Amino acid sequence: MGAVASKPDAGATTRDPDLTYPSSDWSGFFKNHFGPSMLWALISIGGSHIVIAPTMGASFGLVAIWMFGLIYVAKYGAWELGVRYNYGMGANPIEGYRDLPGPKNWALWLTIAVFTVMYTFITASVGMSSAAFVAALGPDWVTAPWAYVVFVSAAGALVLVSRYSLLEKVLIGFTVAIGVLVLLGVVVGPPSPERIAETAFAVPDLTGPAFVALFAAAAGFAPTGFSTSILIGSWSMAKGDGAGELRSKGLDPNDPAYHDYIRAWIRTGRRDFNVGYAFSFVLIVAMVILATNVLYPNPPEDANLAFAIGNILSDSFGAWSYYAMLIGAFAALYSTVITLLDGAARATGDILPLALEDESIDSERVRKLVVVGVVVVSSAMVLALGNVPVTLLLYVAAVLAVTEIFFYPANWYVVENHLPKPFRPSRAWRAYYVGSLALVLLFGAMGAALRLGLIG
């Protein structure tokens, strides 16, 4: 564990609490502090990595790496602000949303709408893709829509009774294993020099409907939506570190005597997130490279999604990798479905009493109602739409590029207005936020133009 805080300077305070400082070395970091970011990363290793990244690589080749790089750089700030708030305030950013300018608690209600309405669509899109892999692995009479109903209902039942921890560990194991296999596949079977030269810097028609549709979808889903800054906040707060530990001991985070302590935890929380963020990006790059090698220029479609993704490792490892990839892709997508159901339900259960300013509300009952509602509504949606995993996911992802923007400026506002001054962003960080938020707004404009029929 970390060291115990030394006694504050004379005159600053007479208190001498025992506070747990984070480990400064990497071995201590991984042993004691690493965790929330990987839970977040496992949410991201779903639709964006298994469906969108191969589609981008198969459509545009290696130049898609630059596109994802721009997206990752632009979107990083929203989560960095969330982490800064987690450890600097000892609270989840959602608690600060009550103070956003405008009608009373409007931001809380908007967040509830995202976690109920939008997460129903996200669950349907990611779940339909996972069901496509179930149908590919099963007998001919198993159809993707009905596989969705069965498996998402099972996921909902597990979340309702909180008996999914073992299953989730197994799915995470498969996800990590397929991640390692994908990275090895890039080393063993990279694209040919001719394919690299052809696609690495081949800029597509930036105003064409094909590019706008795919890029808007990637910007919405990769690495994941901004609303997950609320989820990672819950996981970070569960560890009780930083300003959270001060508050639990009745100490004031604004007291300068504790600023070095808080600053150390903000650095540790950012380091934890950076590891998960880098892992997510490396894996999405690997999927683009494999898709460029195996699928380019024929992206997966609704009818052949499982077949196309299953063959993505065939050039590297042979025929046996087809089934390994199918199982791994299903595990990655299905674990995302479970996490979406649980995260959306818990978030709604926690936020509703804040929005209504009524602590007597039974959050557990709200959680269960949200799980049932998402399962029922999304199942009806999938049965009505049929087997359209790629189409639905790209559509929902482009919508997310618009609806999730709110969380970025909201996180920035509460950081600037709630954190003690020493922990607020520097000029350099603020310049980055301005530039990256401008890009995020551009991504949202692309998604909106696409959905409104202004393009294509």
Side-chain angles (χ1 to χ4, degrees):
M1 294 295 294
V4 174
S6 60
K7 189 172 182 177
D9 294 335
T13 178
T14 58
R15 291 171 295 191
D16 186 19
D18 291 337
L19 298 174
T20 304
Y21 271 70
S23 301
S24 58
D25 60 283
W26 280 99
S27 61
F29 164 75
F30 280 109
K31 180 181 179 181
N32 300 317
H33 313 306
F34 182 59
S37 69
M38 286 309 294
L39 291 174
W40 171 89
L42 289 169
I43 294 180
S44 77
I45 303 171
S48 60
H49 289 64
I50 304 300
V51 180
I52 293 180
T55 303
M56 292 279 283
S59 299
F60 306 119
L62 295 179
V63 74
I65 295 175
W66 300 105
M67 300 176 193
F68 279 114
L70 178 63
I71 291 168
Y72 270 67
V73 168
K75 295 181 70 173
Y76 173 82
W79 291 289
E80 190 278 334
L81 286 162
V83 170
R84 190 189 294 260
Y85 195 90
N86 295 155
Y87 292 96
M89 276 295 294
N92 193 312
I94 190 65
E95 298 177 47
Y97 286 9
R98 289 175 290 188
D99 296 332
L100 291 177
K104 187 176 182 180
N105 292 339
W106 70 271
L108 298 180
W109 288 110
L110 178 59
T111 305
I112 289 172
V114 169
F115 281 122
T116 52
V117 178
M118 285 309 304
Y119 269 55
T120 299
F121 286 95
I122 299 171
T123 301
S125 62
V126 176
M128 184 181 285
S129 294
S130 70
F133 290 96
V134 173
L137 288 165
D140 292 341
W141 53 268
V142 175
T143 64
W146 282 107
Y148 176 93
V149 173
V150 171
F151 277 85
V152 171
S153 296
L158 289 168
V159 170
L160 283 174
V161 298
S162 298
R163 300 292 185 185
Y164 60 92
S165 59
L166 178 60
L167 173 62
E168 191 171 45
K169 289 178 181 177
V170 172
L171 292 172
I172 288 172
F174 274 117
T175 303
V176 172
I178 205 63
V180 172
L181 200 61
V182 165
L183 294 175
L184 289 174
V186 171
V187 176
V188 175
S192 66
E194 294 78 15
R195 184 65 54 81
I196 294 174
E198 177 189 356
T199 66
F201 300 99
V203 180
D205 178 6
L206 300 182
T207 60
F211 169 79
V212 173
L214 287 178
F215 188 85
F221 244 35
T224 183
F226 289 141
S227 57
T228 57
S229 64
I230 306 301
L231 302 184
I232 198 173
S234 297
W235 298 323
S236 297
M237 289 303 93
K239 297 173 75 69
D241 296 320
E245 184 179 3
L246 294 176
R247 294 186 185 281
S248 69
K249 295 181 177 181
L251 305 175
D252 183 8
N254 289 287
D255 190 329
Y258 309 127
H259 284 181
D260 285 345
Y261 166 79
I262 294 175
R263 193 174 289 109
W265 273 110
I266 291 175
R267 284 196 301 266
T268 298
R270 189 183 292 131
R271 175 191 283 187
D272 176 62
F273 182 73
N274 289 348
V275 172
Y277 207 68
F279 174 74
S280 173
F281 180 67
V282 168
L283 194 56
I284 212 166
V285 167
M287 291 298 288
V288 169
I289 293 172
L290 288 173
T292 301
N293 183 39
V294 178
L295 303 179
Y296 181 85
N298 300 304
E301 299 176 352
D302 291 326
N304 73 338
L305 171 65
F307 179 78
I309 303 303
N311 280 306
I312 207 167
L313 290 172
S314 58
D315 281 11
S316 301
F317 299 113
W320 69 269
S321 64
Y322 173 79
Y323 291 101
M325 189 66 202
L326 287 186
I327 294 171
F330 164 75
L333 292 163
Y334 195 54
S335 63
T336 300
V337 168
I338 292 174
T339 308
L340 286 169
L341 284 172
D342 183 60
R346 289 186 186 279
T348 304
D350 291 341
I351 298 169
L352 189 61
L354 296 176
L356 292 173
E357 299 181 350
D358 184 358
E359 295 300 324
S360 67
I361 292 175
D362 186 349
S363 294
E364 181 63 15
R365 184 180 181 186
V366 172
R367 183 184 75 85
K368 291 180 178 180
L369 288 172
V370 171
V371 172
V372 172
V374 172
V375 169
V376 171
V377 174
S378 66
S379 294
M381 184 190 312
V382 168
L383 289 175
L385 292 173
N387 185 30
V388 288
V390 177
T391 300
L392 180 61
L393 194 141
L394 293 179
Y395 186 95
V396 171
V399 173
L400 286 182
V402 180
T403 60
E404 295 266 323
I405 292 174
F406 152 78
F407 293 96
Y408 194 156
N411 287 351
W412 190 0
Y413 181 89
V414 297
V415 162
E416 293 282 9
N417 287 273
H418 291 176
L419 259 64
K421 192 172 182 179
F423 311 126
R424 295 173 190 172
S426 64
R427 287 183 180 179
W429 274 109
R430 287 170 180 151
Y432 160 73
Y433 297 146
V434 170
S436 64
L437 185 54
L439 287 173
V440 168
L441 291 170
L442 175 61
F443 301 159
M446 294 171 67
L450 188 71
R451 296 281 71 90
L452 293 172
L454 301 179
I455 298 177

